[in-house]
Amino acid sequence: MSGEHMDIDKHVRTYVLVFAGLMVLTLVTVAISYLELPLGPAVALALFVAIVKGSLVACFFMHLIDERKLVYWVLGFTVFFFFCCLLGPWLSEINEIGPDLLN
Amino acid sequence: MDAIPYTVEERPDTGLNNVKIGIWLFLASEVMLFGALFASYILLRVGAPPGTWPVHGHEYLDVPLATLNTAFLITSSVTMVMAWAALMRQRQAGTSDLRKYRIYMALTVALGFGFLIIKYFEYSAKFHHHWYPSTNNFLAIYFVLTGLHGLHVIGGMAVNGYLLVNTKMWKTAPQQFANRVETAGLFWHFVDLVWIFLFPILYLL
């Protein structure tokens, strides 16, 4: 975003709204942790809120909502390899339970 | 010697200047660095024998302090982007008043400093209880993740501090200076983004 011709006031209003949203979502994250939910739903909910918060930061503070195509490509590859990285623990788990599945 | 091209103007083929594409490639490498550590966290947690992993992070960690730290980082992200907006407003108006920029940038650095002070108290409390990275796997991954994140906070503060104090370029090359602030901001928001994920997985789950 070059910023040469953009409406700064509109952007500033958006930043303030996103800031308020992030603060509220932080309190929501903490409140969820006190609900004593089982691990599965607790992880799913906490990660969902974290993904929403992360998306707000990336889209509005990092201006990803209005970025060039090449940046999206770079991030697309990064997300792909990031999930490949997270596959490691899953494959390890499969390796652990694999012999049991065969028996 | 010719100046390096496309430091300010956008390349016709990508629509980006070199600085922008450079910082995004760097952030991509950072995602992989933290991604590997997140994967390690999952592996350690899933593979932990029953009873060896804390039921909740707050058995060891201080949630109110970490919540305050989250608020500090989120606030510093908004002051960072406001510092950049203050510069862009001056660019559009054709003026060069840096007062608002300085206030927002100083707040950003101060909030980063506040984050580190709270982290210092958190670490001190752990050491007071003789809880070290060698104590168990949870504390090991906690210290590695938060320690690496803390180093990123220090790095971001160093760059932001430099841009706060050294504003000479604003007079000679204002758009290049604004681009530097935007680039430093992208790194700072990334540091905030990492903390947004660290906070629930370490402290709350």
Side-chain angles (χ1 to χ4, degrees), chain A residues 2 94-95:
Chain A
S2 69
I94 293 289
N95 198 35

Side-chain angles (χ1 to χ4, degrees), chain A residues 1 4 6 9 54 67-68, chain B residues 15 20 89 92 175 193:
Chain A
M1 175 179 278
E4 291 271 6
M6 63 184 208
D9 290 330
E67 208 30 284
R68 306 287 184 196
Chain B
K20 186 66 87 62
R89 205 190 293 272
Q92 285 184 349
Q175 189 55 49
L193 198 57

Side-chain angles (χ1 to χ4, degrees), chain B:
Chain B
M1 195 171 77
D2 291 337
I4 299 171
Y6 305 117
T7 48
V8 175
E9 71 277 24
E10 291 160 352
R11 285 179 64 98
D13 48 0
T14 62
L16 294 163
N17 59 47
N18 289 343
V19 183
K20 186 66 87 62
I21 192 65
I23 187 70
W24 276 112
L25 287 171
F26 173 66
L27 292 182
S29 75
E30 291 277 83
V31 169
M32 296 314 294
L33 173 67
F34 279 100
L37 289 169
F38 278 121
S40 306
Y41 167 86
I42 297 169
L43 191 62
L44 288 171
R45 181 162 189 162
V46 171
T52 59
W53 195 270
V55 179
H56 289 291
H58 53 71
E59 285 175 30
Y60 286 102
L61 310 176
D62 193 322
V63 174
L65 273 187
T67 308
L68 183 62
N69 251 353
T70 307
F72 273 19
L73 272 196
I74 288 171
T75 311
S76 76
S77 243
V78 80
T79 54
M80 183 81 210
V81 83
M82 294 292 243
W84 173 78
L87 284 183
M88 296 318 296
R89 205 190 293 272
Q90 295 297 318
R91 282 284 288 151
Q92 285 184 349
T95 51
S96 60
D97 181 11
L98 283 177
R99 211 171 22 186
K100 272 194 173 171
Y101 161 76
R102 286 206 172 100
I103 290 170
Y104 283 126
M105 199 52 136
L107 275 172
T108 308
V109 176
L111 286 162
F113 194 61
F115 177 90
L116 289 177
I117 289 174
I118 288 180
K119 211 82 215 127
Y120 165 78
F121 283 118
E122 270 197 84
Y123 275 22
S124 299
K126 308 285 166 297
F127 298 147
H128 180 73
H129 287 99
H130 300 287
W131 292 340
Y132 302 108
S134 57
T135 304
N136 59 36
N137 280 345
F138 173 76
L139 286 170
I141 197 75
Y142 162 78
F143 278 111
V144 169
L145 278 167
T146 56
L148 185 66
H149 179 263
L151 287 177
H152 280 74
V153 172
I154 293 169
M157 279 173 62
V159 174
N160 292 343
Y162 175 80
L163 291 170
L164 170 65
V165 175
N166 192 346
T167 54
K168 272 186 287 182
M169 184 185 266
W170 178 245
K171 290 206 173 80
T172 55
Q175 189 55 49
Q176 194 171 356
F177 183 74
N179 287 352
R180 284 186 174 188
V181 172
E182 185 185 11
T183 308
L186 285 172
F187 178 76
W188 192 253
H189 302 313
F190 174 78
V191 171
D192 181 23
L193 198 57
V194 171
W195 182 257
I196 282 172
F197 285 91
L198 283 184
F199 175 53
I201 70 160
L202 288 175
Y203 290 80
L204 303 178
L205 292 175

Side-chain angles (χ1 to χ4, degrees), chain A residues 3-103:
Chain A
E4 291 271 6
H5 310 290
M6 63 184 208
D7 181 352
I8 300 286
D9 290 330
K10 193 176 148 204
H11 274 76
V12 167
R13 278 196 297 275
T14 308
Y15 299 149
V16 173
L17 281 176
V18 169
F19 169 62
L22 288 169
M23 286 301 200
V24 170
L25 287 172
T26 300
L27 294 177
V28 168
T29 314
V30 177
I32 288 170
S33 76
Y34 286 103
L35 291 178
E36 300 290 339
L37 294 171
L39 187 62
V43 170
L45 256 179
L47 284 184
F48 175 73
V49 177
I51 287 169
V52 172
K53 284 171 73 183
S55 303
L56 285 173
V57 171
C59 288
F60 296 104
F61 290 170
M62 299 173 92
H63 303 135
L64 263 186
I65 204 158
D66 181 28
E67 208 30 284
R68 306 287 184 196
K69 224 185 254 178
L70 185 63
V71 173
Y72 294 141
W73 274 103
V74 168
L75 289 179
F77 274 112
T78 311
V79 168
F80 172 74
F81 286 111
F82 175 76
F83 280 108
C84 286
C85 197
L86 293 185
L87 267 182
W90 181 70
L91 290 175
S92 160
E93 187 69 5
I94 293 289
N95 198 35
E96 287 281 319
I97 62 171
D100 296 336
L101 289 175
L102 292 173
N103 291 328

